[in-house]
Amino acid sequence: MATLDAGIARAAAFDLLKAHNQDAFHIEHGETVEQTMRYFAREFDAENEGFWGIVGLLHDLDWEEHDDDPENHTVYAAELIAAAGGSPELIRAIQTHNSDFNPSLPEPELQMEKVLFATEELTGLIGAAVVMRPSKSVMDFNVKSLKKKFKDKRFAAGVNRDVIRRGADMLGWELDELFERTIAAMQSFAPDRDTFVAAE
């Protein structure tokens, strides 16, 4: 596979995220998706792990400032990322995860883009479920518990279940496989932070 250039170093990308997001939850979501993407990159595209990570870190860069205009989510981000030196490949990859909402955006084609599409909402659902558990940890979380929360549309109602289903289809995975793999991804970096509760 070709080596992908993000055009922006991880430290600069994190500074950019913090410059446009004041809410600790949004920053943590970026970091969670970053580490999830890095986990899958090690399986599918190891030489581009850093690129996959920056895609995850910046995927919701503009959400906090423009959540009143969801159709143009990632369109605002594209301008910010380009101004910071981010590559067209980085911008494209990020924009694919809003293609279901805005048909003018590119659809996921690369494995990386499909993984982002499938797991981004799912990590939010898992995070919401984990904080309800006595342990507050993903380490003892399982597919059976996730399926229950997925079916309960009132739980984490903002999480779009259809996007998760469509992402699984794109990857050619059953929902259970997507659930199992994404939990495993989050467990792979959870020991470094104990829980997925946003910092006070």
Side-chain angles (χ1 to χ4, degrees):
M1 289 189 184
T3 304
L4 296 166
D5 179 14
I8 182 171
R10 197 273 174 192
F14 190 56
D15 286 344
L16 185 63
L17 180 69
K18 290 190 292 184
H20 294 279
N21 290 270
Q22 309 308 311
D23 188 331
F25 175 83
H26 291 144
I27 293 168
E28 177 163 348
H29 176 61
E31 292 177 291
T32 297
V33 178
E34 173 192 20
Q35 293 301 327
T36 301
M37 292 293 288
R38 290 181 73 100
Y39 172 90
F40 283 105
R42 291 192 287 275
E43 178 179 352
F44 295 114
D45 187 15
E47 67 180 287
N48 287 312
E49 182 182 336
F51 185 98
W52 283 52
I54 291 173
V55 168
L57 185 66
L58 295 181
H59 78 281
D60 274 353
L61 173 64
D62 59 12
W63 184 254
E64 186 173 307
E65 294 175 340
H66 298 287
D67 62 356
D68 59 339
D69 186 11
E71 189 174 343
N72 286 309
H73 171 42
T74 73
V75 176
Y76 298 108
E79 297 170 9
L80 300 172
I81 293 166
S87 67
E89 293 82 6
L90 175 64
I91 291 167
R92 188 211 129 82
I94 286 169
Q95 289 195 319
T96 60
H97 91 277
N98 200 37
S99 59
D100 59 315
F101 209 81
N102 183 341
S104 70
L105 295 173
E107 291 199 10
E109 291 175 5
L110 300 175
Q111 186 78 352
M112 167 185 56
E113 295 163 350
K114 293 173 185 177
V115 168
L116 177 66
F117 191 96
T119 62
E120 186 259 334
E121 291 271 316
L122 185 54
T123 62
L125 181 63
I126 293 169
V130 162
V131 298
M132 304 295 290
R133 296 171 72 76
S135 66
K136 299 277 194 287
S137 172
V138 76
M139 299 311 292
D140 60 1
F141 192 55
N142 58 39
V143 171
K144 186 179 174 186
S145 298
L146 179 54
K147 284 169 82 169
K148 266 203 240 175
K149 297 298 188 189
F150 185 83
K151 285 175 183 167
D152 179 2
K153 294 197 175 76
R154 292 166 303 173
F155 180 79
V159 172
N160 189 326
R161 271 72 168 170
D162 289 337
V163 164
I164 295 170
R165 285 191 195 93
R166 206 172 142 220
D169 287 344
M170 281 181 194
L171 288 163
W173 299 349
E174 295 294 328
L175 262 181
D176 280 17
E177 182 180 0
L178 176 62
F179 290 173
E180 188 175 350
R181 282 170 169 263
T182 307
I183 291 170
M186 292 175 73
Q187 287 173 338
S188 76
F189 56 90
D192 298 331
R193 62 200 321 178
D194 297 326
T195 75
F196 290 89
V197 182
E200 292 297 326

